[in-house]
Amino acid sequence: MGQISTFSPKNGPSQAEKFCKEEIRMRNLKRALSLTLASVMLLGMMVIGSSAVAGYSDVDADDNVEAIEVLQAIEVMVGDDRGFGPDRPVNRAEMAVVMGLLLNLDYNYYVSTCPFADVSGNYEWARGWVGACAANGIVSGRGEGIYDPAATVTAVEAASMMMRALGYFRYQNDYADGFMVSTVRQGTRIGIFEGVGTDGSTPMTRNQVAQMALNALRSEMVDFTGTPGIEVNGVKVGYRAEYTSRTSTEKKYNAIEGRTSDVASGANHKGQYYVQLGEELYDGKLRLNNSATDAFGRPSRHWEYDGKAIGTYMKKELLDKEWTTEVKGKDLYDLLGADTIKNYDFDVTIDGVSIDEKTGTTDNNTVLKDGTNNSGKPYFDETFMAKTYKSGIGQTGKGVLTQVFVDNNSEDPTVYIAIINTYLAKADDDYNERKDEASFTIWSVDYKNKALVKDTSEHTVSRDVKGEDFDIEDVKDGDIVLVRVAENEIKEIIVPEILPDLTINSFSKKDWINVGGTKYDYANSAQYDTDALYQYSNSNLKELTYNVVLDMYGYLIG
């Protein structure tokens, strides 16, 4: 196999690239939601419905959203009128298009020189892409001029393409132990399979290809520094495999990982930046802050491209445990252990409000220590994390998400605890087209010291959301949604589950109701019309039907 040519920094796709059959058009990046009306009455209120992630109705939070949105922003993998298609399998023709777009290859030039006769007919559209990838050493055929464009691509095949783009597998002798063994071994070493979630032979989906492509963008490029050897009677003699990470002093190579070399050799200079594929291809315009926190205080990665934010993504790999019920101090002690509690730093946030040092007197501490009109004070710190502390902390409870992250890889090992409440909110008016905004009143929230804090009494606040962040064109006066708040604004809008026309058989005030023979516990922030519920006797209640609103964890919230 010959050596791969150098790729040029990518400045943007041509018109042909934008409208190729594999990748039709780029969707607008939206924060969370596409709202469709579901005109359902619930205890005298309306609800609106259906959420989307990454701007696609078929992508949800369980998919590789970070990878999908980054690949979308750089216009390598985008969707069409059907959505993104995260579960659709990727064939070898489509994989060549992905690689060609990723590496900014000139596919038009190679239409007439594609060496594979079977890339024709229904796959004529991919001929230039396959030819370009073949000429640059990214793909190879099955033999005898066959590429097999319709066959689904496997993780091993895709990883081989990605690693060739990084500079690996320049010579056939690199596959001396067999194609699969050699590819899996090297891919595991550099992390190309991380988060992909498939075995070596199962067909890959678009969701998985996006994740592998993102892994490649974050991986170091290499140069061959071994010995090519010579051919003697058809046998390669003297070949020595060695690949060395590329380094450079240019600042653009500080855009993604920012790692510097700690060794010095002829090809690797101490103190210089390692060169990631994404830095080389996008000339430093694709940038990653790997030490960010999101609005809720969770350790995250923040991506931007060409000066514009792509998004902030929670580090799922650091998540140790999460609860949606009350969390006691003893629970945290049992999870973390005494040594971690003593030696690690702690970063605790409640709806994005950070709890400062336990001896601090900041505004945040003052707010969170205020238990007025609240069921307990939300403030807590390491002193509450003891095996003898069997009370709830942080106003946690049913329907409250508590997530614990442990980062022991940094210079300052840190435990992050994020407590995130979900609240009912009601649209104050129809969508305002002139201002491109909608306003919502949020229950169980108060505004104190420039922060939104939980208050389960009758406090409410009103906040606007903008069309650039949410698809709100269909919002009508009185519509109900679930929201999460941080940084003094609505950060997420979530559709509730509606159980229509149920009979309330019995209830316990502020605890549970039995409807249609099924018991539902109240969410910690549940709101309801007391006049509509408690003025009736159990006998009268049985003569009525109600629509019950559940949160995403199955608790009654309205």
Side-chain angles (χ1 to χ4, degrees):
M1 181 183 297
Q3 293 202 15
I4 302 173
S5 59
T6 302
F7 308 116
S8 301
K10 184 169 181 178
N11 295 316
S14 66
Q15 283 299 106
E17 291 169 342
K18 289 182 179 179
F19 292 100
C20 71
K21 188 171 182 179
E22 156 66 11
E23 310 293 350
I24 296 178
R25 63 189 179 89
M26 184 173 180
R27 296 289 181 111
N28 291 328
L29 290 174
K30 295 284 185 176
R31 181 184 292 161
L33 182 68
S34 174
L35 297 175
T36 22
L37 284 178
S39 299
V40 180
M41 294 298 294
L42 58 135
L43 301 180
M45 297 183 287
M46 298 278 293
V47 66
I48 47 183
S50 174
S51 66
V53 179
Y56 300 111
S57 61
D58 59 348
V59 176
D60 60 38
D62 292 329
D63 291 317
N64 298 321
V65 176
E66 177 183 359
I68 290 171
E69 291 196 340
V70 172
L71 271 291
Q72 179 193 52
I74 59 178
E75 299 189 37
V76 170
M77 294 184 72
V78 297
D80 55 30
D81 290 335
R82 299 171 294 173
F84 181 78
D87 298 323
R88 291 204 301 265
V90 177
N91 63 37
R92 285 169 55 83
E94 292 166 338
M95 191 67 206
V97 174
V98 171
M99 296 305 301
L101 287 170
L102 186 70
L103 302 176
N104 195 31
L105 302 181
D106 184 1
Y107 72 99
N108 281 318
Y109 178 80
Y110 294 97
V111 171
S112 61
T113 61
C114 178
F116 305 110
D118 61 338
V119 185
S120 59
N122 291 337
Y123 292 96
E124 185 69 30
W125 57 269
R127 188 168 179 81
W129 297 108
V130 175
C133 286
N136 284 275
I138 303 301
V139 303
S140 54
R142 306 291 199 196
E144 299 181 355
I146 301 300
Y147 180 70
D148 200 8
T152 51
V153 71
T154 67
V156 172
E157 290 174 328
S160 177
M161 297 178 196
M162 299 287 181
M163 287 189 288
R164 291 178 189 181
L166 291 170
Y168 293 101
F169 300 112
R170 292 297 181 98
Y171 298 95
Q172 192 62 40
N173 283 62
D174 292 331
Y175 294 108
D177 293 330
F179 175 76
M180 179 170 287
V181 171
S182 300
T183 303
V184 171
R185 180 172 56 215
Q186 186 61 50
T188 301
R189 286 174 181 168
I190 68 172
I192 205 75
F193 298 109
E194 287 185 8
V196 174
T198 186
D199 58 37
S201 58
T202 301
M204 290 192 76
T205 65
R206 285 171 57 82
N207 183 51
Q208 294 166 334
V209 169
Q211 183 60 55
M212 185 175 286
L214 183 64
N215 293 345
L217 289 170
R218 295 185 60 187
S219 296
E220 295 167 7
M221 300 189 73
V222 296
D223 290 319
F224 180 80
T225 53
T227 304
I230 59 174
E231 291 254 351
V232 178
N233 296 324
V235 178
K236 180 65 70 73
V237 177
Y239 178 78
R240 181 178 63 86
E242 180 183 84
Y243 290 90
T244 302
S245 296
R246 289 174 52 185
T247 60
S248 174
T249 58
E250 291 187 64
K251 290 185 178 180
K252 70 178 182 180
Y253 297 116
N254 189 33
I256 293 180
E257 296 297 335
R259 291 201 320 114
T260 55
S261 172
D262 57 0
V263 297
S265 68
N268 198 333
H269 302 283
K270 188 173 183 179
Q272 294 187 0
Y273 298 116
Y274 285 114
V275 177
Q276 273 70 45
L277 180 64
E279 295 166 340
E280 177 72 6
L281 294 176
Y282 298 96
D283 205 27
K285 294 179 181 179
L286 180 63
R287 305 189 66 85
L288 168 65
N289 177 359
N290 201 25
S291 301
T293 54
D294 68 9
F296 300 105
R298 300 175 294 191
S300 303
R301 287 178 288 271
H302 178 79
W303 287 91
E304 64 179 54
Y305 177 57
D306 202 16
K308 297 179 181 179
I310 299 173
T312 303
Y313 307 94
M314 180 186 79
K315 292 184 176 180
K316 297 178 182 179
E317 67 274 15
L318 298 183
L319 180 62
D320 197 0
K321 188 169 182 177
E322 63 182 18
W323 291 265
T324 56
T325 56
E326 183 181 61
V327 180
K328 300 177 175 61
K330 183 179 184 301
D331 295 329
L332 294 176
Y333 178 87
D334 291 341
L335 175 67
L336 300 170
D339 287 345
T340 296
I341 293 172
K342 178 181 178 181
N343 297 316
Y344 279 49
D345 291 336
F346 278 77
D347 191 343
V348 181
T349 56
I350 301 177
D351 287 341
V353 180
S354 178
I355 291 179
D356 302 288
E357 294 296 329
K358 54 191 173 185
T359 57
T361 57
T362 67
D363 288 344
N364 285 355
N365 284 347
T366 302
V367 169
L368 296 176
K369 286 180 178 179
D370 180 7
T372 304
N373 295 323
N374 287 273
S375 56
K377 299 177 181 180
Y379 177 91
F380 72 98
D381 53 41
E382 297 95 314
T383 62
F384 291 67
M385 304 174 198
K387 60 183 176 181
T388 57
Y389 198 91
K390 299 181 180 180
S391 299
I393 57 175
Q395 288 185 316
T396 56
K398 296 172 182 176
V400 179
L401 177 62
T402 302
Q403 295 179 307
V404 179
F405 303 81
V406 180
D407 184 359
N408 50 24
N409 295 319
S410 62
E411 293 182 2
D412 299 310
T414 303
V415 174
Y416 299 84
I417 302 176
I419 297 175
I420 305 171
N421 291 281
T422 302
Y423 304 103
L424 276 174
K426 179 181 180 180
D428 298 325
D429 207 338
D430 293 352
Y431 163 70
N432 188 317
E433 183 176 3
R434 182 177 63 83
K435 294 183 177 181
D436 189 26
E437 68 180 23
S439 179
F440 291 89
T441 292
I442 311 169
W443 282 280
S444 300
V445 174
D446 197 7
Y447 178 67
K448 298 179 180 179
N449 288 353
K450 301 180 181 179
L452 295 178
V453 294
K454 183 178 183 178
D455 189 329
T456 54
S457 63
E458 296 182 359
H459 280 284
T460 62
V461 297
S462 183
R463 289 294 182 272
D464 298 333
V465 296
K466 294 290 186 179
E468 65 186 89
D469 297 322
F470 297 94
D471 290 331
I472 53 177
E473 291 84 357
D474 293 326
V475 170
K476 300 296 183 184
D477 184 15
D479 288 341
I480 291 289
V481 294
L482 305 181
V483 301
R484 286 172 168 170
V485 301
E487 298 177 340
N488 194 27
E489 64 181 7
I490 294 173
K491 291 294 184 181
E492 295 180 9
I493 303 178
I494 306 163
V495 59
E497 181 181 359
I498 307 298
L499 303 178
D501 300 327
L502 298 180
T503 299
I504 297 180
N505 304 105
S506 58
F507 66 89
S508 176
K509 188 175 182 180
K510 297 183 179 180
D511 191 5
W512 54 266
I513 66 172
N514 187 308
V515 292
T518 302
K519 181 180 176 182
Y520 295 96
D521 291 337
Y522 277 53
N524 183 268
S525 61
Q527 291 291 328
Y528 44 85
D529 187 339
T530 55
D531 291 335
L533 186 61
Y534 294 120
Q535 66 178 321
Y536 299 108
S537 67
N538 284 350
S539 176
N540 287 332
L541 285 173
K542 293 176 182 178
E543 297 174 0
L544 304 173
T545 60
Y546 292 83
N547 293 319
V548 173
V549 185
L550 303 181
D551 66 12
M552 65 287 285
Y553 311 116
Y555 295 109
L556 185 149
I557 196 167

